[in-house]
Amino acid sequence: MNPNIYVPYIAEITDIKQETGDTRTYDVRIKNKEEARLFRSRPGQFVEASVFGAGEAPFGLTTSPKEPGVMTFTVRACGKVTNALAEMKKGDEIGIKGPLGNSFLDKIDSKGKDILVIGGGIGLPPLRSMIDHIFNNRADYREFTILYGARTPADRVYKYQLSDWENKTDLKLIQTVDVADKDWTGNVGVVTTLFPKLKLDIPNTVVYTCGPPIMIKFVIIELLKLGLPEKQIVSTLERYMKCGVGKCGHCCIGNKYVCTDGPVFDYTEIKGLAEEAF
Amino acid sequence: MPEKTVYSLAKAQVPELIAKLLKSRNEVWAPVKGEGGDTFLAQIDSAKQIAPEYVNGFLGAKRYVFPQLEELFRFKKGKNGTTLQTETDQPRAVIWGIRPCDMSAVNYFDSFFGQGAKSGPGWKSGDPLPDPLYEKRRERVVFITLACNQAGPKCFCVCTDSGPFLSKGFDIQLTDLGTYYLVEVGSTKGEEFVKEFKTLFGTGNENDVKLRRKLETEAEKTFQQPVSFFAKAMRKLDGGKVDQKFWEKVAGYCIGCGGCIYVCPMCSCFDVDDKMESDTDGLRYRSWDTCDFAGFTREVSGHNPRASRADRRKRWFYHKLSMDYLEKNPVIGCVGCGRCVVTCPGEVDMATVVRWMRKVE
């Protein structure tokens, strides 16, 4: 973090991958070496990315790089800042404020446990930083399952990665879509319809989830029905956010700031909020 | 009131003091009367502009410590990349004659924006971060507050422990004793201020202090708003007694103008945006925002977690009154200045809603 909480670091876009029609993944590097050294993210954290002239917006980091000063995030072009980002090219400069917020690692210690990751649509990118972390420390965890749901097969992000993951022996990936196309041979239906396919060791499973609010809501309802302890349900929360540093007040849910108290919360925290989280 | 050195300041000396301040400080602010008769806290260039009588200004000291529009930084896009410029200098200023409620609101801002907030390697999630703009501005300002001998018609600071007189939290507190002020010093900055202008200050005496105490007791009897017992309302709120129907009733009277938030000396939510001034140069700024507007939480997908006015009203009152928030910052979000009472066209201001809340079964 810059000591002046409103001032970003200058960073360079080093690569752009097209994910879907409106979604791109950006690799970014902080330019100044001294500032880059200070930037070390943990899984679940986010950054505020600036396009100077358009503003700034928060994006969950999607990898857990060992090298400081580099990061990856995935953006769907749908608003002022994200559309401005969509116009940018490799080598262009943006501003980066962060890393901000807490980490999946700040919640229950899931080492030695089964891991179930449940992602919906553009909710997979923030979870990917944790997935990355688990792969980097695979021996620390037991069974590893990822459920990924999207509206259509074309709406899935990281398609190149998903086929890799499907072939892995130490990971079980199950995908589903709401609406199939003619080439789709996988599951059809919302992500909770996959639950009966799982053989869960309930007391020893930790769930990490992120997706549209309505999905998270039903995922949590179903997990609670299965008897999963509340502390073992870990979710990210999202809100319209401006400053990202706990001052502007936009992202508050009850007395929690999504930006500085979150974005990662477990269900014991979520259920106690004075407002509906989803 | 703890025993401390007191001084006196003859009212006849005020013009000279203000003249000296105008020479030695970058800015002097004081309550002035606007054309329509409202009082505003504004920058002055002569003691003549200071309003002779006023309850409290239309806007509190928030207008100074947290301006409605404030530049965060400037950027310049060039051939060799983007450069950022941060303005670190803030004016050396004196704010004259704000009321105890407004001073209390600044103390609240201190705990939210400044003091106690930390960052850097020891920072963990949930810790507050200091706001550099606020801190620098605050460091260089001296507040001279004027205690209230008479409560205003809409005031209820006696219920929020933020007036009509302060016992701490000010640099200098003046009490009007007729032809002169009793001067109490509440901080090192205040002590240095009196030292700097010692030729204009006289010594205070025991009788003045006694008189001040008497005035405080009398002032406490002049409140007209029948509001007290915030504690009871807060217990109802946190005890889950205040249901959604209650907020729908409040929302029924609210026209969603955001006026209460705009005039509230403790409301500090803001928007952040960029502005280009040429093809290459621009700035990022913040501006006051309000949780009363649907756009405050509306996401680009169209999803709005606080889509109804009832939810938004609930949000505002929870933030100010719920013990949940007091855990984070142990000051309730109201100083009883009465501005929302004056402003609200639907008469669902803090005083009214607290009254309703206390009656909830």
Side-chain angles (χ1 to χ4, degrees):
Chain A
M1 271 296 286
N2 199 316
N4 182 333
I5 56 175
Y6 299 113
V7 178
Y9 298 133
I10 301 292
E12 183 187 358
I13 297 173
T14 53
D15 195 23
I16 302 176
K17 278 191 206 73
Q18 190 80 27
E19 299 285 350
T20 72
D22 57 6
T23 306
R24 292 164 190 81
T25 294
Y26 298 82
D27 289 340
V28 173
R29 175 184 293 275
I30 289 168
K31 288 189 105 168
N32 179 298
K33 283 207 175 69
E34 190 54 32
E35 290 173 351
R37 201 177 55 77
L38 295 170
F39 185 99
R40 285 170 191 275
S41 67
R42 297 186 305 140
Q45 288 193 293
F46 69 98
V47 293
E48 285 268 356
S50 295
V51 180
F52 297 107
E56 62 180 350
F59 302 108
L61 296 173
T62 62
T63 50
S64 291
K66 295 200 175 84
E67 186 190 349
V70 296
M71 74 206 79
T72 305
F73 51 84
T74 298
V75 180
R76 195 173 131 209
C78 53
K80 192 173 160 194
V81 176
T82 51
N83 277 317
L85 267 173
E87 299 287 313
M88 303 204 92
K89 299 178 302 292
K90 194 173 155 177
D92 282 352
E93 276 185 354
I94 59 172
I96 290 292
K97 232 165 66 180
L100 302 168
N102 66 355
S103 164
F104 289 110
L105 305 179
D106 295 334
K107 299 300 156 190
I108 191 169
D109 184 3
S110 56
K111 278 183 191 159
K113 298 267 198 311
D114 287 354
I115 304 296
L116 173 60
V117 171
I118 307 172
I122 193 90
L124 185 64
L127 292 167
R128 199 179 146 200
S129 60
M130 188 61 190
I131 295 169
D132 220 20
H133 176 82
I134 293 168
F135 277 135
N136 291 340
N137 304 275
R138 188 62 189 89
D140 291 344
Y141 303 90
R142 296 197 314 185
E143 293 296 309
F144 184 18
T145 311
I146 300 176
L147 308 182
Y148 183 37
R151 262 178 311 175
T152 70
D155 283 324
R156 292 170 305 145
V157 293
Y158 311 143
K159 289 184 206 76
Y160 43 91
Q161 188 98 63
L162 293 171
S163 42
D164 273 3
W165 288 352
E166 265 182 334
N167 297 328
K168 274 187 179 282
T169 52
D170 56 355
L171 163 72
K172 188 172 170 190
L173 169 69
I174 314 179
Q175 301 183 62
T176 183
V177 295
D178 294 346
V179 183
D181 59 17
K182 59 179 172 34
D183 299 325
W184 182 253
T185 53
N187 299 287
V188 178
V190 295
V191 77
T192 45
T193 59
L194 300 175
F195 285 14
K197 293 181 198 285
L198 303 172
K199 287 194 195 91
L200 296 177
D201 174 9
I202 297 288
N204 294 305
T205 298
V206 174
V207 175
Y208 297 103
T209 183
C210 178
I214 191 77
M215 183 206 90
I216 300 182
K217 185 176 175 170
F218 283 103
V219 161
I220 290 178
I221 289 172
E222 292 302 318
L223 291 172
L224 292 172
K225 271 192 209 160
L226 292 172
L228 206 79
E230 292 175 348
K231 276 233 174 263
Q232 287 162 231
I233 305 174
V234 180
S235 175
T236 62
L237 294 180
E238 273 101 48
R239 277 293 185 272
Y240 182 46
M241 195 182 279
K242 279 290 179 178
C243 75
V245 288
K247 295 288 176 255
C248 79
H250 283 257
C251 72
C252 286
I253 309 176
N255 66 340
K256 299 280 187 210
Y257 286 81
V258 171
C259 60
T260 49
D261 293 314
V264 181
F265 296 89
D266 67 38
Y267 187 65
T268 59
E269 298 167 300
I270 292 170
K271 72 168 185 180
L273 295 172
E275 292 176 280
E276 291 274 330
F278 308 111
Chain B
M1 193 178 68
E3 292 304 325
K4 52 195 163 201
T5 322
V6 290
Y7 305 88
S8 68
L9 175 66
K11 284 185 180 173
Q13 299 279 27
V14 171
E16 198 185 332
L17 176 61
I18 298 291
K20 285 193 164 159
L21 289 174
L22 286 164
K23 274 197 198 123
S24 60
R25 303 296 192 271
N26 305 104
E27 292 178 14
V28 180
W29 289 55
V32 298
K33 277 259 188 288
E35 278 176 24
D38 284 331
T39 311
F40 293 87
L41 183 66
Q43 199 180 337
I44 58 166
D45 49 31
S46 147
K48 281 185 194 133
Q49 289 167 282
I50 302 174
E53 275 180 23
Y54 56 93
V55 179
N56 51 20
F58 182 69
L59 293 166
K62 161 164 130 176
R63 201 175 176 198
Y64 181 79
V65 293
F66 175 59
Q68 190 176 358
L69 278 173
E70 191 168 27
E71 189 179 304
L72 298 175
F73 61 85
R74 286 182 169 268
F75 51 84
K76 198 184 221 355
K77 297 177 191 177
K79 275 190 193 128
N80 301 319
T82 311
T83 47
L84 303 182
Q85 255 186 322
T86 338
E87 182 58 65
T88 48
D89 207 19
Q90 292 287 357
R92 207 170 156 224
V94 171
I95 315 289
W96 174 272
I98 61 163
R99 295 299 191 175
C101 51
D102 289 339
M103 192 63 232
S104 300
V106 171
N107 290 329
Y108 170 81
F109 270 17
D110 285 349
S111 60
F112 180 72
F113 281 125
Q115 295 166 13
K118 49 181 187 265
S119 71
W123 183 84
K124 13 180 236 314
S125 114
D127 284 348
L129 292 155
D131 183 306
L133 300 153
Y134 179 88
E135 280 198 314
K136 290 216 174 75
R137 195 171 268 274
R138 182 71 175 91
E139 233 171 67
R140 290 172 67 84
V141 62
V142 174
F143 284 102
I144 299 172
T145 65
L146 177 56
C148 299
N149 292 353
Q150 160 81 44
K154 306 292 182 191
C155 297
F156 53 99
C157 62
V158 73
C159 314
T160 51
D161 194 23
S162 44
F165 283 62
L166 291 176
S167 53
K168 59 176 181 348
F170 52 84
D171 293 324
I172 287 173
Q173 176 168 254
L174 304 177
T175 304
D176 191 338
L177 297 178
T179 56
Y180 64 102
Y181 296 110
L182 170 72
V183 180
E184 293 168 84
V185 172
S187 71
T188 317
K189 266 198 255 178
E191 195 63 60
E192 281 164 5
F193 184 91
V194 173
K195 236 183 246 167
E196 184 180 349
F197 301 102
K198 57 177 184 276
T199 54
L200 300 175
F201 288 95
T203 50
N205 60 49
E206 193 56 34
N207 277 341
D208 292 342
V209 175
K210 272 187 196 151
L211 189 54
R212 174 230 181 270
R213 284 187 189 144
K214 187 162 161 271
L215 286 170
E216 181 173 2
T217 315
E218 280 170 11
E220 281 170 3
K221 293 175 191 152
T222 61
F223 286 89
Q224 296 161 45
Q225 277 282 323
V227 177
S228 59
F229 307 124
F230 263 62
K232 188 175 175 190
M234 289 162 71
R235 275 201 304 276
K236 292 270 169 83
L237 189 72
D238 283 323
K241 305 275 186 209
V242 184
D243 60 7
Q244 191 65 13
K245 274 212 179 96
F246 180 92
W247 299 114
E248 277 161 19
K249 181 183 166 192
V250 174
Y253 289 92
C254 170
I255 63 163
C257 66
C260 51
I261 293 155
Y262 182 80
V263 298
C264 180
M266 304 182 89
C267 273
S268 63
C269 287
F270 58 84
D271 189 24
V272 182
D273 208 355
D274 284 12
K275 183 174 181 279
M276 294 303 290
E277 291 188 328
S278 72
D279 287 348
T280 53
D281 296 13
L283 62 106
R284 180 161 298 163
Y285 67 96
R286 65 172 165 200
S287 59
W288 293 354
D289 204 345
T290 149
C291 59
D292 207 20
F293 294 165
F296 190 75
T297 47
R298 187 170 47 230
E299 293 159 21
V300 73
S301 64
H303 171 71
N304 191 345
R306 257 179 245 136
S308 80
R309 187 166 292 158
D311 287 344
R312 298 197 287 274
R313 289 286 72 194
K314 177 182 165 184
R315 158 78 199 161
W316 194 62
F317 286 103
Y318 254 83
H319 191 175
K320 293 193 171 296
L321 300 175
S322 169
M323 291 303 286
D324 281 359
Y325 287 88
L326 269 63
E327 249 172 45
K328 250 182 198 164
N329 198 350
V331 189
I332 65 166
C334 176
V335 288
C337 70
R339 288 188 178 92
C340 58
V341 185
V342 175
T343 303
C344 182
E347 298 182 2
V348 271
D349 46 80
M350 180 59 80
T352 310
V353 171
V354 164
R355 243 183 343 257
W356 288 359
M357 223 179 263
R358 279 167 48 210
K359 288 184 193 146
V360 167
E361 287 307 323

